[in-house]
Amino acid sequence: MKKYRIRGGIPLVGEVNISGAKNAAVAILPAVALADGICRIENLPDIEDVATVLEILRALGAEVRRVSPSTVEINPCTIDTETVPYDLARHMRGSYYFLGSLLGRFRRARVPLPGGCDFGERPIDQHLKGFTALGAVQAPLENATVALSAEKLVGNSIYMDKVSVGATANVMMAACKARGITIIENAAKEPHIVDLANFLNFLGADISGAGTDTVKIRGVDRLHGTNYSIIPDQIEAGTYMAAAVATGGDVLVRGIIPKHMESISAKLREMGAEIEEYDDALRIFRKEPLRHCNVKTMPHPGFPTDMQPQIGVLLSIAEGRSVLNEDVYDKRFRYLDELRRMGAQVEVDGKIAVFQGIDRLRADTVKAVDLRAGAAMIIAGLVADGVTEVEDIRHIERGYENVVEKFRALGADMELVEV
Ligand code: EPZ
């Protein structure tokens, strides 16, 4: 078993380079299956979820050549099946993007229900609502596999009952090859939605309005290959920013798009951080004591739910009372059980967590209950008094590239331990 061992109390100082966005990569790579030409994708994060999607593309028959840890060349022309293997799909959430891309390519798709982080119920009813509106028919669920088929895909107007990143991305992919115009209303506006739309347009799609709540897709007959570079990861950047603020350090976060960081920067400034923004970097440091504040997670451009556990650690050591409202998921507070072991004073009532800040967390052995919760446990270890061990780190390795090297380069006393 592998775990991280972290000695807390060292302010993080130095530079960190941000990798490509996981949630853009796990949508763009399946979208390659819509193309009938070679695609070269650059700035991919070297993480397990990306490796799994590449394995799925190979299993579908695509030729996949890893040019470097962050660049891959894919020839989707040899894809010869619409069925995604169960044993690969269940490792991650993003496997469901093959529903949209294979439906767009073959008018058929068979994809096992996705895995991914456990935040309680994570339905895909909005995805299916969109596919059905385009003319797809869903066979009865068999072996937890979604099977869709369509005589033809025809553009339609779709109103999303709930803002959903996955459903917006999935329907956008299928609509690229539908006849006529599709309008997605109440669409998700995350940076990775815009990145996917840009990639699809590089393939020859005709998408406008991505990044707003109304996306218009005019279907086309074919999509050719392209070269494309993934945007930097807003959440990885936010995680290192939160760690810098938690430890009272001074960190230059490089290779970012400052506009993507606005809601995270605003909240960290409210807590006492100072942030200097440059073209593709920002410097974050803190001289004042951490101030308590209230946080509510919302779809973009609100404060991202994927930063909720990380900011929760800051609230647990910010003087005073803070209220954290997780408004996107039903059950995304499981990490608080681990944080309480370290001394955090926090009460949960449904979607609300109320923190009473304490001076310092106590080192302990804790678990990464999911990807972002795992990142939060690293931050907690960096500020705790003593040596913290973080177990179940496979969750963290799914989504953070070279996380030990990056934290050590910032001065953290952190090591990977094989037991
Ligand atoms: C994506 O998940 C991300 N994952 C998540 O990041 C992120 O937390 C989430 O978007 C919100 O930003 C990937 O991109 C692979 P949603 P997704 O559909 O698409 C409900 C991480 O840490 N909903 O926007 O599954 C859903 O239950 C991961 O990188 C429906 O009710 O999220 C949730 O409450 C964790 N019906 C809310 O909407 C549906 O059909 C938002 O989910 C779809 C979603």
Side-chain angles (χ1 to χ4, degrees), residues 102-142:
L102 293 172
L103 190 63
R105 182 186 187 91
F106 290 122
R107 305 280 182 281
R108 298 184 311 285
R110 288 174 52 79
V111 181
L113 283 172
C117 298
D118 174 12
F119 311 136
E121 185 62 25
R122 292 180 78 182
I124 62 166
D125 56 306
Q126 298 302 303
H127 302 236
L128 299 174
K129 171 179 182 177
F131 295 139
T132 306
L134 296 176
V137 174
Q138 184 188 355
L141 210 54
E142 201 179 300

Side-chain angles (χ1 to χ4, degrees), residues 50-67:
V50 165
T52 301
V53 178
L54 294 175
E55 274 312 299
I56 293 174
L57 282 165
R58 283 195 185 91
L60 294 173
E63 290 163 13
V64 177
R65 189 166 74 86
R66 208 78 192 244
V67 176

Side-chain angles (χ1 to χ4, degrees), residues 41 49 64 72 88 91 100 107 125 148 172 209 316 340 391:
I41 312 292
D49 274 7
V64 177
V72 67
L88 290 172
H91 286 306
R107 305 280 182 281
D125 56 306
L148 299 171
M172 212 158 60
S316 74
R340 284 193 190 95
E391 297 178 337

Side-chain angles (χ1 to χ4, degrees), residues 355-400:
F355 293 81
Q356 197 58 40
I358 61 171
D359 281 346
R360 190 145 191 217
L361 293 169
R362 276 192 321 271
D364 203 318
T365 298
V366 291
K367 291 188 182 313
V369 294
D370 63 57
L371 167 60
R372 306 301 175 185
M377 291 304 111
I378 292 175
I379 297 174
L382 290 169
V383 297
D385 183 5
V387 177
T388 295
E389 297 198 336
V390 182
E391 297 178 337
D392 290 351
I393 60 171
R394 67 189 186 290
H395 291 296
I396 303 170
E397 292 176 331
R398 270 188 51 206
Y400 283 94

Side-chain angles (χ1 to χ4, degrees), residues 22-23 26 93-94 96-97 117 119 121-127 162-167 190 192 305-306 328-329 332 371-372:
K22 168 182 87 81
N23 292 344
V26 299
R93 183 119 189 109
Y96 59 24
Y97 287 132
C117 298
F119 311 136
E121 185 62 25
R122 292 180 78 182
I124 62 166
D125 56 306
Q126 298 302 303
H127 302 236
K162 187 149 188 179
V163 176
S164 162
V165 167
E190 271 70 5
H192 31 291
T305 175
D306 290 350
V328 174
Y329 288 106
R332 196 171 192 168
L371 167 60
R372 306 301 175 185

